[in-house]
Amino acid sequence: MTEDNQAPQWVRVRAKLRAEFGEAAYRSWLKPVSLISAGRGVVQISAPTKFMRDWVDQQYGARLLQLWSEEDPAIRIIDIVHSGAIAATPKSRPVTSPRIAVGPSAWSASDSAQNGPSRIDRDDNVGAPLDARFDFSNFVVGKPNELAFAAARRVAEADVATFNPLFLYGGVGLGKTHLMHAIAWHIQTTRPDKRVIYLSAEKFMYQFIRAMRYKDTMAFKEQFRSVDILMIDDVQFFSGKDNTQEEFFHTFNALVDQNRQVVISADKSPNDLEGMEERMKSRLGWGLVADIHPTTYELRLGILQAKAERMAVEAPPKVLEFLAHKITSNVRELEGALNRIVAYANLVGRAITLDSAQEVLHDILRANDRRVTIEEIQKRVAEHYNIRLGEMYSARRSRAIARPRQVAMYLAKQLTPRSLPEIGRKFGGRDHTTVMHAVRKIDELRATDSSFSEDIDLLRRMLEG
Ligand code: ADP
Ligand code: MG
């Protein structure tokens, strides 16, 4: 390992990181990691502890990849393991990220035919690496995600396709990818004979385009159509990409027809996916559509507690409560905040306090403080329902106008700290009882009409996002 550490590329990459991130960061985080190997598109490096592995991955992973691919354009993946992995018992999960995918044989034809220097590097795996942290036991369940969680578990445990497809959707950082990886982990450990492929929609497209270039679409089709479970993440990426969408549609149909399980994720419900063909949207909605709602305070606190426990850090409850209150955007950011204060405490060697947390997170906290304004809400809602902005203040009472106006009042109450009279004033000088009525009405409608309710959640997410 020490020898490899002298590899000239690694020496250069480290020097650049040192210049960019400064001496302190270099010494604490980058110097302790060492190069294990580089080749076949993957650079593997090791960090002394799990925590350091996660930290280096989060903070420097993207830049590391960039710098390495400047050295060697074939490099596509930086795989960080922690050196404790070597001591791991055979029964425990490998700490590195294994890939789950069918074998590489299907690619070999194109491989030998195309060996010119300009050939795009291909990694042998159709699927993407799985994150070892993303399993069911690490997923904290609460009201906002209980349906998605239960559905994912069912799919992972069932022998035959249950809901086909399972369609998971929700805003960014709410756990869609986590649940898909958890399904793959579970199947891999309980039924290793099953072939599972997990990949992003983007990677699906990339492979499809490559297959077309090498006139190897048969192998491409075979590859995907012979799996037991296919999971494609973030299919909103397909919008407007007609050829890829078409290919995906055929793959999808072939699998569902053979009763193979398909799991899809997206940031919107099937119906709301723009730039998707109608037949695709309707087909995607055939199985179970499970929405992951924005987090609640309780869920955020639960996630923080679980994570602090896993990292074995002493974080005072007050600090966790503070974070759960303040960082409401998504779980990824919440985790990032906790990592940051833990790293800070380690670095300066002092216990975590509310004061130090506030200081270390001042930029994140400021961003989360950004409140939506009533004006923004009015504008968004008007656009969404395709009415003129002026109707928000007008006296017109036809349903087509009044309903969106009520939605906007409702969201103003939910998303801003304004009082009912203040909100009324912003809507053309209406009375506070009108606002109250609007809030009740929308609550009522949400309780009885789930697609309306989804629509409101979507608006809300866009406004908060
Ligand atoms: P998405 O794919 O929906 O954008 P991810 O699955 O990537 O979101 O989740 C972002 C981060 O938040 C991941 O690190 C994931 O482990 C974590 N996370 C999200 N939801 C939960 C949860 N309910 N419990 C534990 N961790 C979660
Ligand atoms: Mg994701």
Side-chain angles (χ1 to χ4, degrees):
M1 260 180 229
T2 10
E3 249 167 56
D4 270 347
N5 259 326
Q6 306 308 320
Q9 296 113 312
W10 182 226
V11 172
R12 279 193 294 270
V13 168
R14 291 223 291 193
K16 286 183 189 159
L17 290 169
R18 187 178 198 159
E20 280 175 31
F21 292 99
E23 198 53 31
Y26 176 77
R27 233 172 315 125
S28 314
W29 304 109
L30 297 163
K31 193 151 170 266
V33 303
S34 50
L35 178 67
I36 301 175
S37 63
R40 312 191 72 221
V42 183
V43 169
Q44 204 177 43
I45 56 184
S46 100
T49 67
K50 266 191 204 161
F51 178 69
M52 284 186 78
R53 175 200 64 191
D54 293 349
W55 183 260
V56 170
D57 191 21
Q58 268 182 19
Q59 303 296 315
Y60 309 106
R63 189 63 188 139
L64 253 173
L65 179 58
Q66 259 173 4
L67 291 172
W68 262 105
S69 50
E70 283 167 18
E71 296 284 339
D72 175 1
I75 297 297
R76 304 223 173 273
I77 293 169
I78 303 283
D79 187 13
I80 309 177
V81 302
H82 80 81
S83 30
I86 297 153
T89 61
K91 259 196 344 212
S92 74
R93 146 142 352 128
V95 191
T96 175
S97 312
R99 288 129 217 288
I100 295 197
V102 294
S105 53
W107 289 107
S108 44
S110 67
D111 201 18
S112 48
Q114 296 272 346
N115 250 336
S118 63
R119 186 175 76 85
I120 301 177
D121 175 68
R122 58 171 263 283
D123 41 335
D124 280 345
N125 299 284
V126 190
L130 292 178
D131 191 314
R133 295 163 305 167
F134 294 178
D135 70 3
F136 284 125
S137 68
N138 281 340
F139 192 84
V140 180
V141 187
K143 264 250 163 304
N145 59 27
E146 63 187 359
L147 175 64
F149 176 81
R153 272 217 84 101
R154 176 73 66 83
V155 163
E157 282 162 8
D159 264 327
V160 285
T162 8
F163 340 95
N164 222 356
L166 169 59
F167 188 99
L168 300 171
Y169 80 96
V172 66
L174 296 180
K176 301 181 296 292
T177 299
H178 188 137
L179 284 177
M180 292 175 108
H181 284 211
I183 293 173
W185 278 122
H186 187 89
I187 294 171
Q188 194 203 27
T189 33
T190 55
R191 278 160 297 152
D193 54 310
K194 294 269 182 202
R195 275 162 308 165
V196 181
I197 291 185
Y198 162 87
L199 79 170
S200 64
E202 194 176 356
K203 188 156 182 191
F204 181 90
M205 183 179 89
Y206 170 70
Q207 304 218 355
F208 173 57
I209 290 174
R210 192 169 55 186
M212 286 203 297
R213 176 170 312 161
Y214 298 142
K215 308 207 170 13
D216 201 12
T217 48
M218 278 310 289
F220 174 86
K221 285 180 204 301
E222 271 304 297
Q223 190 95 274
F224 284 103
R225 290 177 196 182
S226 61
V227 300
D228 295 301
I229 293 150
L230 177 65
M231 294 196 270
I232 304 221
D233 208 351
D234 290 322
V235 297
Q236 71 275 4
F237 180 81
F238 287 151
S239 64
K241 305 189 171 82
D242 295 347
N243 289 342
T244 311
Q245 221 179 95
E246 175 89 17
E247 184 58 32
F248 171 61
F249 188 65
H250 291 313
T251 306
F252 178 96
N253 284 334
L255 289 172
V256 172
D257 287 347
Q258 292 174 65
N259 231 355
R260 309 281 173 81
Q261 181 71 51
V262 178
V263 182
I264 303 290
S265 89
D267 63 352
K268 296 187 198 69
S269 75
N271 268 328
D272 291 323
L273 286 171
E274 282 155 23
M276 280 280 193
E277 276 185 56
E278 284 307 319
R279 57 176 189 167
M280 186 77 237
K281 290 189 196 178
S282 100
R283 196 82 214 249
L284 287 173
W286 271 16
L288 179 71
V289 177
D291 182 2
I292 308 187
H293 295 268
T295 56
T296 56
Y297 171 75
E298 289 75 21
L299 180 60
R300 289 194 294 274
L301 187 60
I303 289 171
L304 286 169
Q305 286 166 341
K307 195 158 164 64
E309 196 172 312
R310 215 169 340 115
M311 286 159 76
V313 296
E314 297 273 342
K318 279 239 157 335
V319 171
L320 299 186
E321 284 160 21
F322 172 75
L323 292 182
H325 261 303
K326 288 290 191 176
I327 300 178
T328 54
S329 44
N330 67 53
V331 183
R332 190 171 299 138
E333 205 166 323
L334 198 62
E335 288 187 330
L338 183 63
N339 283 340
R340 207 193 299 175
I341 55 174
V342 170
Y344 177 82
N346 279 347
L347 224 51
V348 300
R350 275 199 302 267
I352 300 165
T353 65
L354 202 49
D355 278 346
S356 66
Q358 263 168 313
E359 194 185 310
V360 176
L361 300 176
H362 65 97
D363 54 333
I364 298 181
L365 293 173
R366 202 166 344 108
N368 273 271
D369 261 351
R370 196 193 78 88
R371 281 266 161 68
V372 187
T373 64
I374 294 182
E375 287 75 14
E376 279 173 85
I377 295 174
Q378 291 173 325
K379 189 162 163 285
R380 271 288 179 156
V381 173
E383 275 166 17
H384 185 77
Y385 291 103
N386 210 8
I387 62 171
R388 285 185 304 112
L389 180 60
E391 303 290 12
M392 288 288 162
Y393 333 109
S394 79
R396 282 178 61 192
R397 302 174 80 170
S398 72
R399 159 98 47 104
I401 306 282
R403 188 55 40 84
R405 196 190 290 132
Q406 287 177 325
V407 168
M409 290 183 193
Y410 170 87
L411 288 169
K413 184 75 197 97
Q414 300 267 314
L415 302 179
T416 75
R418 305 272 162 251
S419 66
L420 295 176
E422 279 176 299
I423 295 172
R425 249 175 277 138
K426 297 260 189 182
F427 283 82
R430 288 179 154 78
D431 192 68
H432 77 277
T433 52
T434 309
V435 182
M436 204 156 65
H437 173 73
V439 172
R440 282 212 202 106
K441 183 76 203 166
I442 300 302
D443 263 333
E444 248 171 61
L445 283 172
R446 289 193 63 157
T448 51
D449 181 345
S450 66
S451 73
F452 177 73
S453 183
E454 278 173 17
D455 210 37
I456 306 291
D457 282 334
L458 182 76
L459 269 167
R460 186 191 169 121
R461 256 189 248 126
M462 290 195 311
L463 283 160
E464 284 178 331

